[in-house]
Amino acid sequence: MKKTRLIMAGGFLGAGKTTLLWDAAKRLMAEGKRVGLVTNDQAPELVDTHILLCDGLKVAEVSGSCFCCNFNGFIDAIKNLRTDIIADVIIAEPVGSCTDLSATIINPMKQFYGTELTISPLTVLADPSRLRSILKNGDGGLHEDAAYIYRKQLEEADMILITKTDMLTKEETDQILADTKQAFPTAKVMAISTSAGVGVDEWLQDVCSSEEAGIKLLDIDYDRYAHGEAVLGWLNGTLHLADKNICWDDVLKKITSALTTAITAEALRVGHVKLIMECGKDFAVTNLTGADNQTTFRGKAGVADEARLIVNARVETSPEHLDELVMNALVDALPINCQEEVLAWRYLQPGRPNPTYRFSMTT
């Protein structure tokens, strides 16, 4: 079997990784390439996976731990995509709070699977709303140890993509590009806007033509790294909802608004909150991200008698309190006669990272 190109696109929670994966996969497929995607999270029932599946893409999910702590699971997902669709390109999205990928993923893969995979430069996405603060030695609206993870992600990147630049002026984009290049001089820095279609082709051209990957190994404090992940409560839940002739887009907006109001009232720091409402093949998605709690809505679930709601929330509070906030938002926002069935529900704090491999030298 011919070699498959593997593209790793990391970056902190809310940076726009899934949107980029979707757009990049569509562009590559339009060129006649067979493309597979791998998503990753500490728990199953990922909004990201369902978004991609709803769009007809071939997706493998590695859940329950990050790629580095479940290296063999990640390899199995890659092998399955290589077999199932004979993938030309696989794009992998690691957990947003993960770092140290060069030592724990990229260099081990280069050594053990270099005959099967062509590894692209490690790409790290950065949302300008957090990046501005980080570049000024701020916390980006995060706990100081979560901000530490953010900085380490940028430090090890082969390529840094500044995302969502459609929300910036040209002068603001030029300034943040210059500041990022100065702070991380060994990385190639680019600005993109997936929604505006700007910069994605240029990024794909670069990552699909280079094999210079994982060239920087981090000096990282794993105690601080572990605490930076553990300050966030994580919740993944799936509900089946039923009521007569309901506009589920309105329901989704009400749930998001109620949850945003509760989080803002307590001044809780948000990694991200994602919700998807599915009605058959139709779906709508809301996102709450960034240092300033930006909320976005896209898609259309439509009017129907039933729907499926998936909630993924990463918020700086205890898992138990996060569960309470989400439950209260559902009580406030769901129609009074709506019937609810819990299909899956899990809330947790991530455990200490324990990589399968951690190389001390590049390969």
Side-chain angles (χ1 to χ4, degrees):
M1 185 183 294
K2 65 180 180 180
K3 293 177 75 172
T4 298
R5 180 168 286 276
L6 176 67
I7 301 171
M8 293 276 288
F12 206 78
L13 301 160
K17 298 185 295 296
T18 305
T19 306
L20 178 64
L21 260 68
W22 175 86
D23 192 51
K26 294 286 190 180
R27 290 170 187 258
L28 291 168
M29 291 166 65
E31 296 175 3
K33 292 183 171 62
R34 291 180 290 270
V35 182
L37 305 172
V38 185
T39 58
N40 183 212
D41 197 57
Q42 303 285 359
E45 295 298 313
L46 269 182
V47 168
D48 293 348
T49 301
H50 284 265
I51 292 172
L52 297 168
L53 287 171
C54 284
D55 279 319
L57 301 173
K58 184 66 177 180
V59 186
E61 181 179 298
V62 178
S63 60
S65 65
C66 52
F67 288 153
C68 61
C69 298
N70 188 7
F71 185 87
N72 293 331
F74 183 35
I75 292 300
D76 287 344
I78 290 171
K79 288 182 176 179
N80 288 339
L81 289 171
R82 277 172 50 82
T83 300
D84 290 349
I85 61 171
I86 318 176
D88 299 302
V89 180
I90 294 173
I91 311 175
E93 175 192 356
V95 174
S97 58
C98 277
T99 188
D100 205 26
L101 299 175
S102 180
T104 62
I105 298 293
I106 291 180
N107 280 285
M109 295 188 80
K110 286 168 68 177
Q111 177 163 318
F112 301 139
Y113 298 97
T115 59
E116 302 173 32
L117 302 171
T118 300
I119 313 295
S120 288
L122 172 60
T123 299
V124 171
L125 280 64
D127 180 336
S129 67
R130 294 198 197 278
L131 180 59
R132 281 196 187 101
S133 173
I134 294 293
L135 291 171
K136 296 177 181 178
N137 294 318
D139 60 16
L142 302 167
H143 184 282
E144 61 180 359
D145 287 342
Y148 173 78
I149 295 173
Y150 194 113
R151 292 189 188 94
K152 286 297 179 181
Q153 290 177 338
L154 296 169
E155 186 180 319
E156 73 169 336
D158 299 315
M159 299 182 67
I160 297 174
L161 291 188
I162 302 172
T163 60
K164 308 177 186 179
T165 54
D166 56 294
M167 302 174 67
L168 306 177
T169 66
K170 183 181 184 304
E171 291 74 19
E172 288 172 331
T173 300
D174 290 344
Q175 185 63 58
I176 200 169
L177 274 169
D179 292 344
T180 306
K181 289 175 181 178
Q182 183 176 3
F184 304 100
T186 62
K188 180 166 186 177
V189 183
M190 302 174 65
I192 69 166
S193 168
T194 309
S195 62
V198 175
V200 180
D201 283 333
E202 291 80 0
W203 170 69
L204 279 173
Q205 183 176 358
D206 277 2
V207 292
C208 288
S209 61
S210 176
E211 299 180 30
E212 192 174 19
I215 60 175
K216 286 166 278 188
L217 300 180
L218 291 178
D219 178 12
I220 186 166
D221 181 342
Y222 259 71
D223 290 333
R224 194 171 184 189
Y225 175 14
H227 187 250
E229 285 199 296
V231 297
L232 294 169
W234 297 54
L235 182 147
N236 285 9
T238 303
L239 297 173
H240 177 264
L241 306 175
D243 202 349
K244 291 293 184 181
N245 200 36
I246 294 296
C247 178
W248 294 107
D249 299 302
D250 291 343
V251 174
L252 180 61
K253 290 175 182 178
K254 289 178 182 178
I255 296 169
T256 305
S257 177
L259 189 52
T260 302
T261 299
I263 288 170
T264 303
E266 296 189 26
L268 299 177
R269 292 165 165 167
V270 174
H272 74 229
V273 177
K274 297 184 180 183
L275 302 94
I276 182 170
M277 189 75 78
E278 297 178 338
C279 296
K281 294 182 179 180
D282 297 321
F283 67 95
V285 181
T286 56
N287 289 275
L288 173 64
T289 60
D292 50 1
N293 288 356
Q294 304 164 1
T295 303
T296 60
F297 180 95
R298 74 175 180 91
K300 185 175 182 180
V303 177
D305 292 342
E306 59 182 3
R308 178 167 64 170
L309 172 68
I310 303 175
V311 182
N312 294 167
R314 317 288 182 251
V315 180
E316 191 179 311
T317 187
S318 71
E320 294 77 15
H321 186 50
L322 179 57
D323 174 60
E324 181 182 1
L325 290 173
V326 174
M327 286 295 189
N328 288 341
L330 292 171
V331 169
D332 291 343
L334 287 176
I336 190 167
N337 294 319
C338 184
Q339 298 179 6
E340 309 160 38
E341 179 186 0
V342 176
L343 303 178
W345 201 269
R346 187 180 181 194
Y347 49 93
L348 57 94
Q349 281 180 317
R352 181 183 177 85
N354 183 27
T356 307
Y357 300 101
R358 187 168 192 266
F359 280 29
S360 58
M361 297 180 63
T362 57
T363 55

